[in-house]
């Protein structure tokens, strides 16, 4: 999709592509291996596209929120980031010419914790998953 639109964006002086990835692009969780792997691949794709499209003046931003308050996260009562905050902070990051953003305080705190101690964050996330049936 990005390559399909890249010529049109370039012809109009450049533009931006925003990929809503997931914090789980960084972590690997039990029973969610394929989901985490696909998000990791999406993050790698965002980084590759950023390098490829820079000469066409097209920015590529990866947004990595943690649990967003949507039906997909309805299974847990853990804190969630509002979709409004994800949208607002992602657009603000795009305007600020950032390349990756962790929207919402919950996402920023998770990213900082992960940078300091990835194993502890993965263990915590695994502990809040529903048990395998």
């Amino acid at each position: 999709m990005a390559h399909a639109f890249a010529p049109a964006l370039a012809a109009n002086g450049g533009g931006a592509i925003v990929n809503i990835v997931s914090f789980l692009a960084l972590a690997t969780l039990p029973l969610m291996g394929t989901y985490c792997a696909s998000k990791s691949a999406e993050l790698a794709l965002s980084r590759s596209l950023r390098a490829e499209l820079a000469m066409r003046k097209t920015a590529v931003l990866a947004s990595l929120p943690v649990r967003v308050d949507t039906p997909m996260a309805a299974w847990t009562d853990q804190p969630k980031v509002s979709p409004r905050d994800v949208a607002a902070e992602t657009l603000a990051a795009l305007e600020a010419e950032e390349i990756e953003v962790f929207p919402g305080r919950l996402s920023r705190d998770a990213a900082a914790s992960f940078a300091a101690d990835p194993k502890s964050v993965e263990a915590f996330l695994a502990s809040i998953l529903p048990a395998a049936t």
Side-chain angles (χ1 to χ4, degrees):
M1 179 82 69
H3 284 287
F5 283 97
L9 291 171
N12 287 292
I17 295 170
V18 174
N19 283 333
I20 304 296
V21 184
S22 169
F23 175 78
L24 292 181
L26 305 177
T28 303
L29 301 180
L31 305 176
M32 295 184 72
T34 54
Y35 181 82
C36 295
S38 71
K39 295 305 177 180
S40 182
E42 186 179 1
L43 179 57
L45 177 63
S46 296
R47 291 171 174 169
S48 296
L49 285 171
R50 184 178 309 120
E52 291 174 26
L53 299 179
M55 68 183 117
R56 294 182 173 191
K57 297 183 180 166
T58 297
V60 178
L61 172 67
S63 181
L64 296 99
V66 296
R67 292 173 305 278
V68 180
D69 195 7
T70 65
M72 185 175 171
W75 62 270
T76 181
D77 61 357
Q78 291 290 316
K80 299 174 184 92
V81 179
S82 77
R84 180 181 301 268
D85 287 347
V86 172
E89 293 185 31
T90 298
L91 292 174
L94 183 63
E95 190 172 296
E97 299 182 1
E98 294 177 27
I99 59 173
E100 294 176 0
V101 61
F102 295 90
R105 181 179 178 100
L106 188 63
S107 301
R108 287 187 297 280
D109 289 350
S113 294
F114 189 81
D117 188 357
K119 289 182 181 181
S120 290
V121 172
E122 285 183 340
F124 168 74
L125 292 172
S127 76
I128 64 171
L129 287 173
T133 55

